[in-house]
Each structure stands twice: as structure tokens, then as C-alpha cells.
Amino acid sequence: MTVKTMEDLFVETLKDIYYAEKQILKTLPAMVKKAGDTKLKDALETHRQETEGQIDRLEQVFKLMDVPARGKKCEAIEGIIAEAKEHMQDIEDPEVLDAGIIGSAQAVEHYEITRYGTLIAWAKQLGRDDAIELLEANLEEEKNADMLLSRIAEATVNEKAAA
Ligand SMILES: [Fe+2]
Ligand SMILES: [Fe+2]
């Protein structure tokens, strides 16, 4: 589709994050499996479940915008996921691997945070208050996941990997 209006741009970006969330949902089980630290494993599994809910919320936003829920390939998330997969394949030391997984997971969260931040700003501009609440719920979960990953990294993983 050609982007002509702010509403078109909003929908295009919605498709981007929808695609990204679905790719993340597909990748998280491998990250859960590969993570060694129990807290990290739990955090990733919790976020996998949250991601399912986020996809539902995005489908509600598509409905509000009166367009079918469809993703649009996002090269940015593909790159971040490719890097995560590379770490999972190449790193043998379990503690270094955990640090790598956290780094990739946080890159994902930051990507999501920037997308949701932008979408919320545009929804405000478009007067689409109905979409804002759903997008903010997703943004909150991404921020919390990011903070939790930082805490796990600081508390255990980085310390052990450096030993
Ligand atoms: Fe997400
Ligand atoms: Fe996330």
C-alpha cells in the first residue's frame, strides 16, 4: 500500500510491530530452552506468554482501524533475531551464552519500546484514543521485561561470566 496519510503510516507501522511480535513469539521458546539461569528462563517464559496477549491486543487495534490484521516483513527484527540465533548456536560457555541471550532479548525489547512509543504518539495525533490504551498496555509489558532483564544481568549472569 502507498502511504499517503498519517493514518496509513500508523497502519503500516502497526503491521511492522505485528510481524515483529509474531517472529518474537516463534523465537522465544528456543531462548527459554537455551537459557541456563532459572530466573532468566522464567522471565523469558513469562514474556512469551505476555507476547501472546500483545498479539491479541494488536489484533484489536487492527479491528479498531477497520483493517485486516496482517504483518509486514520487518528487516530490523529479522536482524535482531538472526543475531540471537547466532549466539545460541555459537556460544558454548553457558554463562556467556546467558549474557548473550539477555543482550539479544534487550535489543528486542528496545525495538518494541521504540515502535510502541511512536505508535502511541501517532494515535494521539490521530485522535485514536481507543487504540492508545491497548498500545500502552503492550508498551508497559515491554518496559517491565527490559527492566527485569537488566536486573537479572546485573545480579547474576554478568558476574558469573566474568569469573
Ligand atoms: Fe512484545
Ligand atoms: Fe517484548
Side-chain angles (χ1 to χ4, degrees), residues 1-159:
M1 101 185 237
T2 336
V3 173
K4 288 184 188 144
T5 64
M6 277 312 293
E7 193 166 312
D8 295 342
L9 189 59
F10 178 84
V11 169
E12 282 297 289
T13 308
L14 193 61
K15 288 179 180 173
D16 174 293
I17 190 68
Y18 186 63
Y19 176 90
E21 292 288 9
K22 287 195 149 184
Q23 293 306 111
I24 293 159
L25 185 63
K26 272 196 232 165
T27 311
L28 275 167
M31 294 171 86
V32 171
K33 208 171 151 199
K34 284 271 185 176
D37 184 83
T38 318
K39 279 195 191 123
L40 176 58
K41 234 184 219 308
D42 290 351
L44 292 168
E45 173 54 26
T46 301
H47 201 51
R48 191 195 62 75
Q49 289 168 27
E50 282 174 345
T51 302
E52 287 177 348
Q54 293 174 353
I55 290 170
D56 283 349
R57 289 193 198 104
L58 289 178
E59 285 167 358
Q60 291 177 53
V61 178
F62 276 109
K63 208 170 224 172
L64 290 172
M65 300 308 290
D66 219 11
V67 287
R70 218 174 285 146
K72 180 190 162 206
K73 191 171 185 199
C74 163
E75 300 291 351
I77 202 70
E78 290 289 336
I80 294 171
I81 288 172
E83 191 187 274
K85 286 183 175 163
E86 205 180 295
H87 283 157
M88 290 193 283
Q89 257 174 17
D90 298 346
I91 304 175
E92 279 171 21
D93 182 291
E95 278 147 17
V96 179
L97 176 60
D98 276 359
I101 289 174
I102 292 176
S104 295
Q106 288 196 283
V108 169
E109 296 321 315
H110 283 241
Y111 181 75
E112 293 175 303
I113 289 166
T114 182
R115 282 301 184 218
Y116 285 121
T118 298
L119 281 167
I120 290 163
W122 289 345
K124 277 181 191 155
Q125 201 180 322
L126 291 165
R128 298 303 306 239
D129 292 359
D130 47 359
I132 292 173
E133 209 173 312
L134 292 157
L135 295 167
E136 272 177 349
N138 283 10
L139 177 61
E140 271 319 293
E141 288 177 352
E142 312 301 14
K143 282 185 181 167
N144 286 336
D146 182 50
M147 273 192 300
L148 183 56
L149 287 164
S150 286
R151 250 183 281 140
I152 292 169
E154 279 157 25
T156 57
V157 179
N158 286 345
E159 217 170 280

